[in-house]
Amino acid sequence: MTVIRLPTAQPPDCVLGARPDVTESAGAYRATGGYWSATIRPDELLHHLEASGLRGRGGAGFPVAVKLRAVREGGAVPVVVANGEEGEPGSVKDRWLLRARPHLVLDGLARAAAMTGAARGYVYLSDPEAGARVRRALAEHPPPLPIEVVETDRTYVAGEESAVVRRIDGGPALPTAKPPRPFERGVGGAPTLVSNVETLARIALTASRPGLRRRIARSTLVTLSGGRGTPLLTEIPYGVPLRTLAAAHGTPDAAGALMGGLFGGLVDARGLDLPLEPGALAAAGTALGCGAIRFLAAGTCPVTAAAEAVGHLAAESARQCGVCVTGTAAVHGALRALAAGTAGPDTLANLTRWAQGLPGRGACGLLDAAAGTAGSLLRAFPRTLPSHLGAACPACAADLTAADLTAAGLTAAGPGRLAVAVPEVSETPSPPSPPTTPSARTALSAPPVLKGTP
Ligand code: SF4
């Protein structure tokens, strides 16, 4: 796993920071203008967030200022939660962020508390290494409100906001029926802001650099994997074509991509001309989600990719909603049969019906992701599918050996090839950042900056 800084991500104005390979100390963070060295009033910051158009980075992309106002006006003293539970198998940004820049996240959480009037906060995560770094950061720089670290097991649904509330309240990390949503009734019954850790990092950056609010709001961390390249975590401005990212990742001839983690479905090779911008992606029927993109190498069959993705979702179903249990299993079975060449004549019609009828029927987005993946396969690769009826696809057969079927999660055995390792981050305290003169900025921007586990 490699972290690189593309020329557009310049410290200290980016989330990647100056040293993505080392846990940032409180002193180093303060030297970049962090914590309350930036004396911006909460209402002023809320105005800047609204004007910037910052949207959440957990997957749904909801406007941050709207969510903050809803929690503030909830009629009781609110609670704020930094959500660092990262269930998407292809995403590493949240765990990296908590390991490398815990103070940036904690600063954002304290700012969110000030904007909403919250009296206590939580950091919710599943990565023990991230938990240790956050606890150390809390001891190093005591926050202005009580903040507790709550750990959970890593699953696909544990980071869904109602599951977060349920776990913090002492229950299982499983989604609940909505309404009420956490902003109405969350932890302990109080209005609760559940905010992704990258979102909070961008709130903190906006507080210290309001003049750069739009640039901060229109950049994003992305995890690139699949294809022929080494998995890559980087930060880019909105608008970069997916094809440029594919080339940066080492797969310039990608046949398509699995977008948004498992939430944005598949795009074909022409879809790689789309810019990485939430509005443009939504208009094309896909999504940025949590910023995880898995490229398909040339020659990879999209049916196999869809079967892998839905196989993982079926294995991760919380099995609370009957329609999710039967729906994800049915979609997975159909895709697997297509990949194996054993699908019956009704398979494509069934997939079409499920893709249209299943979304919105579960308590969380997992079922939507499974149905959406099937729908995107039908839309983006219409000419590929008929050849899978009644005959084994050579590309699928070459891609998935019997052993792969287990490794890929097609037998509900886990994330398999979809998993990406989190970059290594050294605990060695980083020295105070040098002053941000033009010459220092040039020296800090030299890529690549970190190599970690493969
Ligand atoms: S839709 Fe599926 S994963 Fe989500 S709560 Fe229901 S059973 Fe669980």
Side-chain angles (χ1 to χ4, degrees), residues 35-36 106-107 109-111 113-114 118-119 138 141-147:
Y35 282 131
W36 299 92
L106 292 171
D107 192 6
L109 186 62
R111 305 270 184 187
L138 286 168
H141 182 94
L145 74 165
I147 292 178

Side-chain angles (χ1 to χ4, degrees), residues 157 174-176 316-325 328 361-367:
V157 298
L174 297 174
T176 58
E316 288 282 314
S317 166
R319 310 188 77 77
Q320 295 192 122
C321 317
V323 67
C324 177
V325 177
T328 53
R361 294 180 59 193
C364 77
L366 185 144
L367 180 59

